[in-house]
Amino acid sequence: MTNDTLYRLHPATVAEALVNKWVAWSNTVPPVAGSLHLKNFQLKLLESYLKDPKVHLDACKNPKYRAGPFVDIPIERMQEVADLLAFTQTAQRKSLELATEIKDFQSYLVQEAKGQSLDPYYQKVPPGLQGFVELAYDYFNRPMVRFFESLLYEAGYYDRTLQSLRFSKQPNHASRSFIMSTPRLPSPEAIEWTVAFDDPRVDELFRLDAAPKPLGAIRELLGLEAGADARLLPLLSEQTAAAPDRWDGESVRVRYFGHACALVEWSGNAVLMDPYIGVEVGEGDVGHYSYEHLPPKLDYVVITHSHHDHFSIESLLRIRHKTDTLVVPRTCGVLAGDPSLKLLARKIGFKKVIELDALESLPLENGEIVSIPFLGEHADLLYSKSAYVVRAGRERILFAADSDCLDQKLFDNIRAILGPIETVFLGMECVGAPLSWTSGAFFPARPDPRLDKTRRYKGADSARGLRILEALRTKRIYNYAMGLEPWLEHLLGLAYTEDSTQLSESRKFIASAKERGMEAQLLFGKHELFLEPGR
Ligand SMILES: [Fe+2]
Ligand SMILES: [Fe+2]
């Protein structure tokens, strides 16, 4: 090592985006969803851990509870959890008050408003919500509160000073605790950089693959003293990154990066779907593409829905310097737990964010991206979500993510409007988590356990998946978005075994598709395919 040695981030270094030590995702950043999740999930979880940490730690040892509400922090560090709880109560006091006001006022309004004019109830809006809400009825005289989310972002409920990036080197993919349940405490091997997500220095740091820097410059960027070099150096690498690979061949190239992340390139376009990208942990890793395999420029990064395995703030920040435009589903703007992804993306530093509604299209050279409806996956709650048809020349490729075929007619309609869709990427997580998993914090009371079990975040099973393919007259089916790759563990904790329903349905789906003459494959880790585009 000399003073001229240039460094980039080590391929095994992850940069977790945090809000007050918790991993940032769509339930922790936006003001309304974030306040409710903070009060009704995170604080309750910490209190429960402090009451009986052993129960939490025992549960964390059982793979079945990997994605459950259990804090994975050793008992010796209990005091740090107590300190985090106390700090949160002060630092996020305004958000906690907002959560109380939202719950109390919504409950009051439901009791009081039975169809009479809502005008007088504006006088009853609690102080923290005044000027931030509209009161309305549906046609059955059920009252609702609509939040002006953009105004709330500017009113002290969104605190950039609580944001940070935590760098740590992963010995293996399983080394991260489940993101929703375990806050990230300081560690001697990790470096936490207190920086707002929208800070341009974040882009400077993540450009290191293409533009490595001397140690001193990186240290200065992170605001570290020279004494921190012993911690910083293991997180960096002197090895140059693979040369960025921009496809300029005649055909359409699709590269699968794992889970729901796929890169489509043709006619000079580069479109990345649902980026969640695993770092490379070295020995024993599953072969896969990582950040260094992305092209230097992404024309569009496209998001299907707000679940943390599809809208990953960690990956989005890391690739922000490569893209001008993020494409997100149009917000429904009705439920407190359904934040606008457009506002959220802007707040985390994306300059250009486009919302696409069903059948709206973004024109590209020799192609387009068309948004289509996305049924299912949200436990019958109204959430912002889109599937997308990427048209590359004459090829149409559907990225359906966790779509379910709740109504085959929808797909008949899509075919009638857009034509047959030759290539389909579809998930088959047909078991799913119960309603309360990501939305429990938004309900006024814990959902009835009997209902909770029946309403699930689930996608298509084999029979419903086949109906989609038949309706669309598909020729090629790729089963993806299964959470199979080990770098999804800390996000989904699915703990599959060979006889898991999702995997047996996937096998049935692939076999039935093949019987019908389709090419069919379950994707895992890494895949590359080429399609002939035509014009
Ligand atoms: Fe999902
Ligand atoms: Fe998913």
Side-chain angles (χ1 to χ4, degrees), residues 114-115 154 162 199 215 326 333 404 501 515 526 531:
K114 304 291 180 194
E154 309 304 325
L162 293 175
D199 192 313
L215 183 62
L326 199 64
D404 196 354
T501 307
E515 275 166 27
K526 179 180 186 178
L531 305 166

Side-chain angles (χ1 to χ4, degrees), residues 188 190-191 215 219 222-235:
I191 286 178
L215 183 62
R219 187 200 303 131
L222 298 175
L224 297 168
E225 303 292 330
D229 284 358
R231 280 189 300 144
L232 180 55
L233 270 168
L235 301 170

Side-chain angles (χ1 to χ4, degrees), residues 371-405:
S371 165
I372 67 163
F374 172 160
L375 282 177
E377 172 66 354
H378 284 81
D380 305 319
L381 292 170
L382 208 48
Y383 264 69
S384 316
K385 50 188 175 168
S386 271
Y388 300 91
V389 175
V390 174
R391 185 174 64 74
R394 281 198 303 264
E395 284 287 339
R396 293 184 194 86
I397 312 164
L398 169 63
F399 293 93
D402 303 316
S403 291
D404 196 354
C405 187

Side-chain angles (χ1 to χ4, degrees), residues 347-535:
K347 284 289 164 189
I348 64 167
F350 284 86
K351 302 268 183 299
K352 195 169 166 201
V353 187
I354 297 174
E355 274 188 348
L356 279 193
D357 203 354
L359 290 190
E360 284 186 324
S361 145
L362 271 177
L364 294 171
E365 175 62 32
N366 191 27
E368 62 183 332
I369 302 169
V370 187
S371 165
I372 67 163
F374 172 160
L375 282 177
E377 172 66 354
H378 284 81
D380 305 319
L381 292 170
L382 208 48
Y383 264 69
S384 316
K385 50 188 175 168
S386 271
Y388 300 91
V389 175
V390 174
R391 185 174 64 74
R394 281 198 303 264
E395 284 287 339
R396 293 184 194 86
I397 312 164
L398 169 63
F399 293 93
D402 303 316
S403 291
D404 196 354
C405 187
L406 297 174
D407 181 356
Q408 188 177 356
K409 287 271 184 245
L410 168 68
F411 297 94
D412 291 337
N413 292 339
I414 296 296
R415 191 200 64 239
I417 298 165
L418 298 182
I421 296 176
E422 299 85 0
T423 308
V424 170
F425 287 74
L426 176 68
M428 193 135 293
E429 212 294 60
C430 51
V431 176
L435 169 68
S436 58
W437 190 53
T438 53
S439 295
F442 309 130
F443 283 82
R446 202 184 160 79
D448 179 329
R450 283 165 307 171
L451 303 182
D452 197 31
K453 271 191 214 150
T454 67
R455 288 173 55 185
R456 305 187 78 88
Y457 300 95
K458 66 178 177 62
D461 60 12
S462 59
R464 288 178 173 181
L466 281 170
R467 274 182 229 143
I468 296 178
L469 306 185
E470 279 162 7
L472 297 178
R473 304 209 180 122
T474 298
K475 292 182 183 152
R476 252 169 250 109
I477 168 68
Y478 295 96
N479 180 197
Y480 79 146
M482 296 290 280
L484 281 175
E485 290 83 7
W487 57 94
L488 270 299
E489 268 265 312
H490 66 291
L491 296 182
L492 301 172
L494 285 166
Y496 285 130
T497 58
E498 264 310 291
D499 51 6
S500 295
T501 307
Q502 297 95 325
L503 293 184
S504 59
E505 282 296 306
S506 169
R507 286 190 291 269
K508 221 156 104 185
F509 181 53
I510 301 290
S512 312
K514 283 183 175 166
E515 275 166 27
R516 288 162 172 77
M518 289 176 238
E519 284 175 40
Q521 189 174 344
L522 168 66
L523 297 181
F524 175 67
K526 179 180 186 178
H527 191 69
E528 185 175 65
L529 66 125
F530 296 91
L531 305 166
E532 293 311 317
R535 279 199 177 251

Side-chain angles (χ1 to χ4, degrees), residues 49 52-66 69-75:
Y49 169 85
D52 193 347
K54 198 170 170 310
V55 168
H56 284 253
L57 290 164
D58 286 348
C60 288
K61 283 183 205 138
N62 186 341
K64 244 174 66 186
Y65 300 128
R66 177 91 161 104
F70 303 105
V71 180
D72 188 14
I73 292 178
I75 291 180

Side-chain angles (χ1 to χ4, degrees), residues 259-260 305 307 309-310 377 401-402 429 481 492:
H259 194 55
H305 63 302
H307 281 163
D309 50 322
H310 299 263
E377 172 66 354
D402 303 316
E429 212 294 60
L492 301 172

